[in-house]
Amino acid sequence: MMKWIPVVLALFLVACSSDGKKTYYQLPTVSTAASVAAVSAGGGLTPAASQPKLWISQVNVADFLSTSGLVYQTSDVQYVMAANNLWASPLSQQLQQTLQTYLGRNLPGWVISGQQANDGNQEQLSVNVTGFHGRYDGRAIVSGTWTLTRNGQVSQHNFNLELKQEADGYDALVRTLSQGWAQEANSIASQIR
């Protein structure tokens, strides 16, 4: 009898979530208007050749996060990929775009790009995200490693954030994950400075 409980539970979850209505999520970002004003107030434009450059070469996500559905950890060993609550665009792409926005805001005077400079004279940032999901205890997990290559020197940093979700539901989960990502971007910027 006990072996049927997980099957019944799985069927119940599928039945509850199979109404067919799909919801799409995009990571929110902080307004960049303040960043533009801060850079503009810096006393004119600096020639691009003299500005420090940072190339975000890649933002990879773990395989279980690369699905179109948001991920929720239901126990210490089980994960569920949502069938109707989906990312509006690939998660790795959203993470790279928002990281570029946050670093641009936090590193005024820098050229932050997703493309390698022609002269090759730039620092390189690579990020591997191993956790970007909700968890059964009401926490949102943002974890992974990032690697910075500066003047031929490579440094690697781990991050593991657990943020408390203030409300239930996927909307709150996405907002909490976004806050965690912004927090990690701030940490990366402070290390780069």
Side-chain angles (χ1 to χ4, degrees):
M1 180 66 181
M2 293 296 285
K3 66 182 177 180
W4 291 102
I5 290 175
V7 173
V8 171
L9 181 60
L11 289 174
F12 176 74
L13 288 172
V14 168
C16 289
S17 66
S18 64
D19 66 359
K21 181 181 176 234
K22 295 189 183 313
T23 305
Y24 295 90
Y25 294 91
Q26 188 77 20
L27 290 175
T29 55
V30 178
S31 172
T32 58
S35 301
V36 173
V39 172
S40 301
L45 296 174
T46 306
S50 65
Q51 291 179 299
K53 298 178 189 84
L54 177 66
W55 169 36
I56 304 173
S57 64
Q58 63 184 358
V59 176
N60 291 323
V61 296
D63 285 345
F64 79 101
L65 296 171
S66 64
T67 66
S68 59
L70 277 71
V71 176
Y72 187 79
Q73 183 179 356
T74 58
S75 74
D76 61 335
V77 294
Q78 289 184 345
Y79 294 79
V80 174
M81 284 70 171
N84 293 325
N85 294 286
L86 310 170
W87 292 113
S89 59
L91 179 59
S92 59
Q93 180 183 12
Q94 289 190 51
L95 291 171
Q96 182 155 354
Q97 289 170 344
T98 53
L99 179 61
Q100 186 170 343
T101 299
Y102 292 135
L103 292 177
R105 179 190 69 202
N106 290 310
L107 296 170
W110 283 67
V111 176
I112 312 294
S113 176
Q115 297 181 351
Q116 189 171 12
N118 291 336
D119 61 7
N121 185 21
Q122 64 194 7
E123 298 179 20
Q124 178 181 346
L125 176 66
S126 172
V127 184
N128 289 309
V129 178
T130 57
F132 201 79
H133 59 277
R135 196 169 68 188
Y136 57 90
D137 60 358
R139 302 265 178 199
I141 308 303
V142 179
S143 62
T145 60
W146 57 272
T147 305
L148 180 67
T149 305
R150 173 185 276 170
N151 299 325
Q153 300 293 317
V154 178
S155 62
Q156 185 171 344
H157 306 268
N158 298 320
F159 59 96
N160 187 21
L161 305 174
E162 294 184 14
L163 295 94
K164 184 177 184 320
Q165 252 185 260
E166 297 302 322
D168 292 335
Y170 284 105
D171 288 9
L173 173 59
V174 171
R175 287 186 189 101
T176 306
L177 289 169
S178 182
Q179 290 169 0
W181 189 238
Q183 184 178 329
E184 187 53 35
N186 292 342
S187 175
I188 292 171
S190 68
Q191 292 286 331
I192 290 173
R193 271 189 238 115

